């Protein structure tokens, strides 16, 4: 089938690469000329494991353009995967969605097209996109046949390709049975798991098929917010339990294991620590609260999850004060900047709040991340952080080291040498990730968030 994808961020590019890999003809469009040029040269503007490999494999079926006239006419499916950043009041900024819908409307033609909202968009956006498309066609001649659908994505950065090719489910919300047929055909190789798995992205053992959940537009839109908010509150819940565990002398990781093995609860997303960051959970929980407020509804559970998450970040300063007593004039090293491992994404990363809070208290902050350093240097221009060349350097002369992102390689650092180079070998494990016994042997005093 012929597919157009508007927006080449994490969602758009991953979706495009996966659809091309399973045999579709994909045109990716972005209004950022530099991004399109980079992609045309076979380079990738984001960090995502195996994205280079899959783009290389699918390159004969992928094109990159800035032109709607090139991408839209004749497409069977047009995915809108543009950014919807939060505005000051928590509601999403829909200007890119509006622009995309209007431009799609101007260029639709050449047969039935399904226009799909893939970005996380407010409830009601499906109907809004449909009206924008009709409006933008205005008095133009010729009847075009199109339908709008919501097809939220559930991919995680860092395992975006795995999540797209081997999803737990695919959700399609639309009022058009014809659109359901088109999207079922589009996703058939994934639904039936009939495509040949790439050697670097093996099919999970026992995976035979993925369920398709078909709904109306509003339900599909709400599924996305409800799912992300539930994952977010699961994390905040275990973090709240973690605070009590510390007081009563329990180990929250054991509590999480013992709870999570109940199949009704599940072990995933019960990893206690600094809490969630990234582009999705903060934005989506805020949007859910804002949407509910429009209808005069409070969302006390989701709101509490947001509060707990923010407090986890503030606990870093509290813990350092508890250990070092005076932190003004001291040096703190941060291990990890990205909001989670295997990505260079710094959006809503706990590291930024932590660095800012420390700098505001007169602390010198040194930091290292395996992939997010260049991004941090350009995106955090106003924050005074010393960027180190190696993880080990973070400990040099430090009064404390904080593990902020659980990159696997941080477990295998030369912690013995680092303890010797630190002014005071104290490590605060923000992700309950380090082997405390090993670190103690290497000379570190260890604490957990
Ligand atoms: C999240 C969802 O997991 C995806 O299903 C969804 O598609 C995506 O948002 C989105 O809406 O686009 P993502 O933000 O990429 O994906 O990353 P996650 O793996 O969910 O991690 C989010 C944050 O939660 C990270 O900061 C991570 O460190 C933290 N986390 C995760 C925990 O603190 N504990 C956990 O047990 C799991």
């Amino acid at each position: 089938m012929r597919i157009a994808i508007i927006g080449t961020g994490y969602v758009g590019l991953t979706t495009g690469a996966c659809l091309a890999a399973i045999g579709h003809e994909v045109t990716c469009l972005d209004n950022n000329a530099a991004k399109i040029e980079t992609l045309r040269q076979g380079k990738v503007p984001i960090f995502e494991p195996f994205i280079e490999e899959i783009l290389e494999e699918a390159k004969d079926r992928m094109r990159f353009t800035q032109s709607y006239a090139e991408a839209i006419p004749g497409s069977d499916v047009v995915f809108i995967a543009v950014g919807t950043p939060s505005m000051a009041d928590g509601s999403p900024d829909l200007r890119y969605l509006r622009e995309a819908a209007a431009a799609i409307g101007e260029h639709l033609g050449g047969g039935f097209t399904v226009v799909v909202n893939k970005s996380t968009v407010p409830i009601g956006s499906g109907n809004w996109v449909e009206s924008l498309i009709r409006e933008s066609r205005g008095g133009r001649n010729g009847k075009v046949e199109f339908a709008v659908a919501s097809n939220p994505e559930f991919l995680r950065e860092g395992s975006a390709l795995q999540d797209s090719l081997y999803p737990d489910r695919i959700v399609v919300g639309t009022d058009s049975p014809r659109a359901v047929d088109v999207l079922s055909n589009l996703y058939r190789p994934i639904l039936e798991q009939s495509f040949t798995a790439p050697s670097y992205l093996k099919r999970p053992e026992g995976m035979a098929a993925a369920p398709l959940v078909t709904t109306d537009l509003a339900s599909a839109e709400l599924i996305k917010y409800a799912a992300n908010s539930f994952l977010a509150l699961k994390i905040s819940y275990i973090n709240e339990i973690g605070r009590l565990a510390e007081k009563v002398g329990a180990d929250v990781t054991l509590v999480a294991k013992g709870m999570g093995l109940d199949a009704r609860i599940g072990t995933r997303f019960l990893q206690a620590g600094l809490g969630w960051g990234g582009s999705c959970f903060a934005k989506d929980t805020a949007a859910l609260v804002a949407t509910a407020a429009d209808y005069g509804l409070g969302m006390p559970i989701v709101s509490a999850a947001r509060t707990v998450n923010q407090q986890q970040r503030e606990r870093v300063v509290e813990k350092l004060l508890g250990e070092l007593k005076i932190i003004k004039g001291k040096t703190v090293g941060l291990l990890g900047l990205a909001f989670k491992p295997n990505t260079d994404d710094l959006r809503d990363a706990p590291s930024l709040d932590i660095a800012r809070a420390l700098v505001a208290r007169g602390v010198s902050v040194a930091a290292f991340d395996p992939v997010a350093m260049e991004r941090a240097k350009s995106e955090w221009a106003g924050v005074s952080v010393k960027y180190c060349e190696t993880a080990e350097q973070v400990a040099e002369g430090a009064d404390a080291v904080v593990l902020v992102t659980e990159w696997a390689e941080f477990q295998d650092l030369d912690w013995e040498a680092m303890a010797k180079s630190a002014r005071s070998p104290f490590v605060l494990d923000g992700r309950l990730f380090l082997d405390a016994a090993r670190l103690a042997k290497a000379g570190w005093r260890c604490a957990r968030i």
Side-chain angles (χ1 to χ4, degrees):
M1 292 167 85
R2 271 198 65 183
I3 314 300
I5 302 197
I6 317 301
T8 58
Y10 283 95
V11 173
L13 199 55
T14 306
T15 305
C18 289
L19 291 175
I22 62 169
H24 299 296
E25 294 293 327
V26 176
T27 304
C28 291
L29 180 148
D30 205 293
N31 56 12
N32 181 329
K35 255 189 180 178
I36 290 299
E37 198 37 48
T38 306
L39 287 161
R40 279 191 180 142
Q41 287 168 10
K43 294 189 220 137
V44 188
I46 58 169
F47 177 88
E48 182 62 41
F50 306 117
I51 190 108
E52 273 96 358
E53 286 85 340
I54 200 160
L55 284 170
E56 173 61 27
E57 198 172 306
K59 68 175 183 224
D60 295 342
R61 286 186 297 278
M62 291 195 82
R63 284 183 305 155
F64 300 97
T65 183
Q66 278 184 274
S67 156
Y68 278 86
E70 198 181 315
I72 306 299
S75 288
D76 299 297
V77 184
V78 177
F79 284 100
I80 305 180
V82 296
T84 54
S86 289
M87 295 196 292
D89 67 350
S91 61
D93 182 351
L94 299 178
R95 126 181 52 154
Y96 306 112
L97 182 64
R98 189 191 305 115
E99 284 167 12
I104 291 167
E106 278 171 38
H107 294 94
L108 271 184
F112 179 66
T113 305
V114 186
V115 179
V116 180
N117 271 336
K118 191 87 182 152
S119 309
T120 305
V121 290
I123 298 149
S125 296
N127 298 322
W128 186 57
V129 163
E130 180 165 355
S131 70
L132 287 170
I133 292 175
R134 290 202 190 285
E135 213 173 277
S136 85
R137 294 208 54 79
R140 211 158 300 134
N141 293 336
K143 190 169 165 275
V144 292
E145 288 189 297
F146 77 97
V148 172
S150 163
N151 169 220
E153 54 75 25
F154 302 104
L155 58 86
R156 290 161 299 169
E157 287 179 24
S159 52
L161 296 166
Q162 192 81 19
D163 291 346
S164 301
L165 290 174
Y166 309 116
D168 289 343
R169 78 301 205 187
I170 291 178
V171 173
V172 166
T174 177
D175 304 326
S176 156
R178 202 169 163 194
V180 173
D181 283 348
V182 171
L183 294 175
S184 310
N185 284 335
L186 175 82
Y187 283 123
R188 192 166 313 284
I190 294 178
L191 293 168
E192 295 175 354
Q193 287 295 304
S194 53
F195 65 91
T196 307
S199 57
Y200 45 87
L201 284 167
K202 294 229 158 51
R203 181 168 285 121
E205 217 164 296
M207 177 158 191
L212 175 69
V213 180
T214 54
T215 70
D216 56 280
L217 268 171
S219 299
E221 289 166 348
L222 184 53
I223 284 170
K224 171 67 192 204
Y225 283 107
N228 267 6
S229 297
F230 188 80
L231 293 170
L233 67 91
K234 211 173 164 190
I235 298 168
S236 281
Y237 180 78
I238 199 63
N239 283 334
E240 189 169 285
I241 294 293
R243 295 177 198 174
L244 180 61
E246 184 182 69
K247 296 281 183 208
V248 302
D251 180 341
V252 68
T253 54
L254 299 177
V255 176
K257 185 174 174 194
M259 275 173 63
L261 286 171
D262 182 328
R264 293 170 301 175
I265 297 173
T267 49
R268 294 165 77 189
F269 280 70
L270 282 182
Q271 173 65 47
L274 279 166
W276 78 70
S279 65
C280 306
F281 288 173
K283 177 165 74 72
D284 293 353
T285 49
L288 198 59
V289 172
T291 303
D294 287 344
Y295 292 85
L297 270 184
M299 293 289 253
I301 296 179
V302 180
S303 300
R306 290 174 54 77
T307 305
V308 168
N309 198 57
Q310 192 53 38
Q311 288 167 347
Q312 286 304 101
R313 298 177 182 195
E314 291 158 12
R315 277 165 69 82
V316 171
V317 171
E318 287 163 26
K319 293 250 168 177
L320 291 176
L321 281 172
E323 172 69 23
L324 303 175
K325 310 302 177 200
I326 307 277
I327 57 172
K328 195 177 174 68
K330 302 250 162 99
T331 300
V332 172
L334 303 183
L335 278 177
L337 296 172
F339 83 93
K340 66 173 191 176
N342 299 321
T343 177
D344 64 345
D345 197 338
L346 291 167
R347 284 176 289 179
D348 193 31
S351 54
L352 179 56
D353 275 357
I354 294 167
R356 279 210 182 110
L358 291 172
V359 170
R361 284 173 175 267
V363 175
S364 300
V365 176
F368 175 80
D369 188 282
V371 303
M373 298 286 272
E374 290 313 310
R375 201 175 263 269
K377 284 179 200 165
S378 71
E379 290 181 12
W380 294 3
V383 193
S384 158
V385 171
K386 179 188 156 210
Y387 294 102
C388 300
E389 274 164 27
T390 63
E392 278 85 358
Q393 262 181 26
V394 156
E396 280 172 24
D399 297 282
V401 169
V402 184
L403 183 291
V404 183
T405 315
E406 68 277 33
W407 285 96
E409 63 201 75
F410 291 160
Q411 247 156 0
D412 304 318
L413 300 178
D414 188 348
W415 286 98
E416 284 77 10
M418 286 166 72
K420 290 193 188 105
S421 74
R423 183 156 39 218
S424 133
F426 170 69
V427 64
L428 175 60
D429 184 352
R431 296 290 177 182
L432 282 57
F433 165 75
L434 296 168
D435 180 343
R438 209 204 116 192
L439 259 68
K441 242 174 145 184
W444 289 85
R445 297 189 310 287
C446 302
R448 287 164 147 198
I449 194 67

